[in-house]
Amino acid sequence: MPGLAASNNSPPTVAPPPRRLSSPLPRRAPPSPSPSASSRAKPRKPSPSPTAFPADADDSLDNPDLGPFLLKQARDAMVSGEGGGAARALEFAERAARALERRGEGAELELAMSLHVAAAIHCGLGRHADAIPVLERAVAVVTPPAPAAKGEGEGEGEGEDGADAAGGDDQQQQRAEPDQRGEEWSLAAFSGWMQLGDTHAMLGRMDESIACYGKGLEIQMAALGERDPRVAETCRYLAEAHVQALQFDEAEKLCRKALEIHREHSAPASLEEASDRRLMALILDAKGDYDGALEHLVLASMTMVANGRDIEVATIDIAIGNTYLALARFDEAVFSYQKALTVLKSARGDDHPTVASVYVRLADLYHRTGRLRESKSYCENALRVYAKPAPGAAPDEIAGGLMEIAAIYEALGDLDEALKLLQRALKLLEDSPGQWSTVAGIEAQMGVLYYMVGRYADSRNSFESAVAKLRASGERKSAFFGVLLNQMGLACVQLFKIDEAAQLFEEARAVLEQECGASHPDTLGVYSNLAAIYDAMGRVEDAIEILEHVLKVREEKLGTANPDVEDEKKRLAELLKEAGRSRNRKQKSLENLFVTNSQRAKKEAGRRWSNFGFRS
C-alpha cells in the first residue's frame, strides 16, 4: 500500500442489482502495511493494552530478537507456501506477536505488523470473524489515544452554545493534528483501519466497514494533508463503500472531493479523473440525475479514447447506453450497446461474460419497447455464454446477469424459468464472502416469485433468509428492508400466521416512516396491510384509526374519485358500520372532488390480497 493508499483506474459500471465495485484496496485479500523496520521512530510512550493472544510460558520469547525473526518467518511462509503453508505462517505470526508484546516499549510497529499478518492469514483461510479482534488490537497499538477532555473547572461561565462551538473546534483540531511519532505510525494506523474495514465488508457489515474507512481517511489526511492525491484515492474508495450501502449523498460528496484533488494535481484528462467521473456517473444515475451522469460518462469516454483504452471505452459505452435507456432515448441506447458489443467481441471473444452483459442490456431494451421476440433472442444468447463462460469469469458477474435475465422472464410471464435462473445465481454466490447483500436480493426476488406461483411457505422462507442477512449486514434501516418486511408479512397472511404478520407489518411501518415518510405510497401500503391485519385480529378501533389516516392522505394526494380511494372508503365504511360509528370528515375542496377518468391510476391488477384488502 504505497503512500497510505493504492490506486485503481477501473471504477464500476452501472447495473441494476447490487454488485461489488472496483476499489483501490482489494477486499478479498486485505493488504498488510509494510513500514520499514530500519527507520522506526521511537515512541514517546508505550501503548499498554490487553494482549491479543494467550500468554506463552516459553521463556525464549523474552529474547528481543525473536519477535522480528518470527515475523520474517511468517512472511516468508506466506510467500512460499511451504512447510505447512498458511497454518505454519499463522503460528509464526502469533508467536511473533506474543514475543513483541513482551518487549513492550519500542516494539509497537512490529507488533502491529505481526497482527496484520495474522489477520491476513485468517482472511485467506476464510475466517474473517477471527481476524476482527486481531485487527482491533493492531489499530489500538498504533492509534494515538484521544486527548483528555477539559477539566470540570475549565470553561465555566460559558454559554451552552459557546461550549458546543468550542468543542467542535477542538474536534476539528484533533482530526487535523498529525501523529507526532512519525509517518510510519500513521501508515500503520491507516493500514490497520482500512484492513479492518475490508474485513467487516467481507462479513457484510457495511456500517462498521464505513466507520473504519472514515477513521483511516482522517489519519491519512492528518499525515499527508487534505489535498494530497493519495487522499483522493481513499476518498474514492470510501465513496464506493457508501454506494454499496446505498448512501448516495455521502458518496457524491467524497467523489467530488476526489475529482477536485485529481483535477488539481493530475494532467488534464487523466485516467484518475476519468475513474472519478465514472463513479460520479454511477452515483448520479442512482439518484435519478441522468443528464448529469451522461455528462460525466461522455467526458470519461473522451479521456479513455485519448489514452487508447478501447476496452474501457466499450465499458463506458454500455453505461452510456444504460443512461440513454433511462432517458427513453432508445435509438441512441441501441447504438451505444452495438458499438460496445463490436469492440468486446473483437477484444475478448464471443464467450466472455462482458459480451453476455451487452446481450442482457439489449434484451431489456427490446422488452421495454415491446419487441419481445428480439428480447427473448438476446436472453438466449446471453444464457449460452453464461452456460460455458470463458476461463476466469467472476461468479458475481455471471450471477448479476442471471438476475437481470430472470427479471425479464418474470416480466414476460415465464415465472418457472425465472425461478430456475435465480436458483443458479444463488448457487454461484451463496458461499462467497462479502456477497450477503446480493444474496439477500436474490432471495427476496425468489420470495416474490414463489408468492406469485402460490408457494407461500417457500416464499416466507426466502424472505426470512433475506431479512436475516440484511439484519446481520446492518441494512435494517433501508427502504428496501421495509418493503421486504411487508412482503414477508403478506406471505405469513397466506399461511394464517396472523401474529407474525402483524409484527412484520409494524416493523415495516416503523422503517418506512423513518426512511420514506408517512405519506409515501409504500408506507401507505403498509398502513393498509396493518389495518387489515388488525381487523382480522379483532382490533377494530386500531384498524379504523389507521384507515382514516390512509384515506385522508390518499384523498389529498389522489382526489376523492380515485379507485384506490374508493377501495379505502368501502373498507372504512364496513369497519365503522361494524363498530357502530360514522366517519369524522372534514370539508374537501372542489378541485379534489372532480377527477376525470383519464387521471385514474391503473394499478388494480395484482395489488389486493385475500379478503382483507392487503397491498404489496
Side-chain angles (χ1 to χ4, degrees):
M1 188 185 303
L4 303 188
S7 62
N8 188 339
N9 297 319
S10 301
T13 58
V14 179
R19 296 184 182 176
R20 295 189 61 78
L21 302 174
S22 62
S23 58
L25 295 173
R27 293 185 180 171
R28 291 191 179 276
S32 300
S34 300
S36 173
S38 61
S39 58
R40 291 190 303 274
K42 292 294 182 181
R44 295 187 174 182
K45 58 182 179 179
S47 303
S49 57
T51 59
F53 300 104
D56 197 317
D58 189 356
D59 293 337
S60 65
L61 294 179
D62 293 329
N63 186 339
D65 297 325
L66 182 61
F69 173 76
L70 290 172
L71 177 57
K72 182 179 183 302
Q73 292 291 321
R75 299 181 67 179
D76 291 343
M78 287 181 64
V79 174
S80 66
E82 299 176 355
R88 186 65 173 165
L90 181 60
E91 180 184 353
F92 281 135
E94 291 179 345
R95 290 194 65 205
R98 288 195 292 270
L100 292 166
E101 282 177 330
R102 289 196 179 191
R103 279 180 56 186
E105 182 177 355
E108 286 87 346
L109 285 177
E110 288 176 325
L111 173 58
M113 170 63 74
S114 64
L115 293 170
H116 288 171
V117 171
I121 296 170
H122 279 302
C123 292
L125 295 172
R127 304 200 298 252
H128 297 90
D130 295 336
I132 295 292
V134 179
L135 287 170
E136 289 174 345
R137 167 66 176 137
V139 296
V141 168
V142 294
T143 302
K150 289 183 177 181
E152 293 182 1
E154 296 182 15
E156 290 183 0
E158 294 182 2
E160 188 173 323
D161 294 339
D164 291 341
D169 293 340
D170 289 343
Q171 291 176 0
Q172 289 293 114
Q173 187 174 2
Q174 291 168 16
R175 280 197 295 268
E177 182 180 356
D179 193 338
Q180 300 298 324
R181 297 172 294 185
E183 185 174 316
E184 283 194 344
W185 288 78
S186 297
L187 171 60
F190 169 80
S191 301
W193 282 113
M194 299 303 286
Q195 189 175 352
L196 182 57
D198 289 338
T199 309
H200 277 302
M202 297 300 289
L203 293 171
R205 303 170 183 170
M206 290 309 302
D207 290 341
E208 293 88 342
S209 175
I210 289 172
C212 292
Y213 294 148
K215 292 178 181 178
L217 178 61
E218 289 181 7
I219 292 171
Q220 187 185 44
M221 288 193 298
L224 303 176
E226 295 190 1
R227 308 300 295 181
D228 191 278
R230 291 164 289 183
V231 171
E233 298 297 329
T234 307
C235 286
R236 186 170 64 206
Y237 191 43
L238 182 52
E240 291 175 353
H242 280 296
V243 169
Q244 290 184 3
L246 306 181
Q247 299 170 359
F248 299 112
D249 291 335
E250 294 84 352
E252 183 179 1
K253 293 176 184 176
L254 288 163
C255 191
R256 288 193 186 281
K257 181 178 178 68
L259 182 58
E260 291 171 2
I261 296 173
H262 279 141
R263 293 179 66 182
E264 177 181 339
H265 291 278
S266 303
S270 65
L271 294 176
E272 292 80 7
E273 181 182 337
S275 297
D276 295 338
R277 291 193 181 280
R278 293 173 70 180
L279 178 58
M280 181 62 75
L282 175 64
I283 296 168
L284 295 178
D285 183 273
K287 296 178 69 173
D289 184 2
Y290 302 116
D291 291 326
L294 187 60
E295 178 183 353
H296 283 285
L297 287 171
V298 170
L299 290 173
S301 179
M302 293 170 61
T303 299
M304 293 300 179
V305 169
N307 286 274
R309 303 293 187 93
D310 293 339
I311 299 297
E312 285 79 1
V313 172
T315 305
I316 295 174
D317 282 336
I318 297 174
I320 291 174
N322 294 337
T323 308
Y324 280 137
L325 183 59
L327 292 169
R329 295 163 62 174
F330 300 118
D331 291 339
E332 292 164 290
V334 170
F335 176 78
S336 293
Y337 290 145
Q338 293 290 358
K339 180 182 174 184
L341 186 62
T342 301
V343 174
L344 292 173
K345 279 185 174 182
S346 174
R348 293 181 170 176
D350 294 346
D351 60 346
H352 197 275
T354 54
V355 173
S357 69
V358 183
Y359 289 147
V360 174
R361 304 313 307 146
L362 285 166
D364 183 38
L365 185 150
Y366 286 126
H367 175 261
R368 295 192 190 191
T369 55
R371 297 168 63 177
L372 303 185
R373 179 177 298 178
E374 290 91 335
S375 175
K376 196 163 186 179
S377 175
Y378 276 114
C379 284
E380 292 171 353
N381 290 339
L383 288 174
R384 277 194 291 270
V385 175
Y386 290 140
K388 295 181 179 180
D396 55 347
E397 186 176 3
I398 298 175
L402 292 174
M403 291 174 65
E404 295 182 55
I405 298 173
I408 296 173
Y409 275 111
E410 177 186 347
L412 294 172
D414 194 347
L415 303 184
D416 291 334
E417 185 63 26
L419 273 171
K420 292 178 183 178
L421 293 173
L422 289 175
Q423 288 166 352
R424 284 176 57 187
L426 184 62
K427 188 175 180 180
L428 286 170
L429 294 180
E430 59 185 355
D431 295 327
S432 301
Q435 297 287 347
W436 281 25
S437 296
T438 306
V439 172
I442 296 173
E443 291 175 335
Q445 196 171 347
M446 291 177 64
V448 172
L449 294 178
Y450 281 134
Y451 191 100
M452 294 173 68
V453 299
R455 296 168 59 178
Y456 302 119
D458 292 333
S459 174
R460 180 197 168 278
N461 292 337
S462 292
F463 285 135
E464 184 178 33
S465 180
V467 166
K469 288 180 174 62
L470 292 177
R471 289 189 196 277
S473 61
E475 296 186 27
R476 64 182 65 189
K477 296 182 181 179
S478 65
F480 173 69
F481 184 70
V483 172
L484 188 56
L485 290 170
N486 180 62
Q487 296 293 336
M488 184 176 173
L490 293 172
C492 290
V493 168
Q494 298 295 341
L495 296 171
F496 302 102
K497 297 183 177 182
I498 304 301
D499 292 336
E500 183 179 351
Q503 294 176 1
L504 291 167
F505 289 144
E506 288 168 352
E507 186 177 359
R509 175 180 64 178
V511 172
L512 292 174
E513 283 178 344
Q514 178 68 28
E515 297 299 317
C516 303
S519 300
H520 192 274
D522 289 339
T523 311
L524 293 177
V526 175
Y527 284 154
S528 296
N529 292 341
L530 192 56
I533 208 71
Y534 283 161
D535 181 22
M537 297 171 69
R539 298 169 57 179
V540 178
E541 294 297 329
D542 292 334
I544 290 173
E545 181 181 355
I546 293 175
L547 277 180
E548 285 180 338
H549 168 74
V550 172
L551 185 54
K552 177 183 176 182
V553 174
R554 290 195 188 279
E555 286 180 339
E556 292 173 352
K557 299 288 185 182
L558 304 175
T560 57
N562 186 275
D564 286 340
V565 176
E566 290 296 327
D567 291 340
E568 303 293 359
K569 281 182 181 179
K570 292 178 181 178
R571 294 174 60 195
L572 181 57
E574 292 176 2
L575 290 177
L576 290 172
K577 182 178 180 181
E578 181 180 342
R581 293 169 45 188
S582 60
R583 184 185 175 197
N584 188 13
R585 298 188 50 167
K586 293 184 179 180
Q587 187 69 27
K588 300 292 179 183
S589 63
L590 287 177
E591 61 183 1
N592 281 338
L593 293 175
F594 294 94
V595 180
T596 63
N597 289 335
S598 62
Q599 293 173 305
R600 294 188 177 183
K602 300 178 181 180
K603 300 180 181 179
E604 295 188 32
R607 297 195 61 186
R608 295 167 181 79
W609 273 262
S610 80
N611 295 326
F612 296 113
F614 291 97
R615 296 178 181 273
S616 63

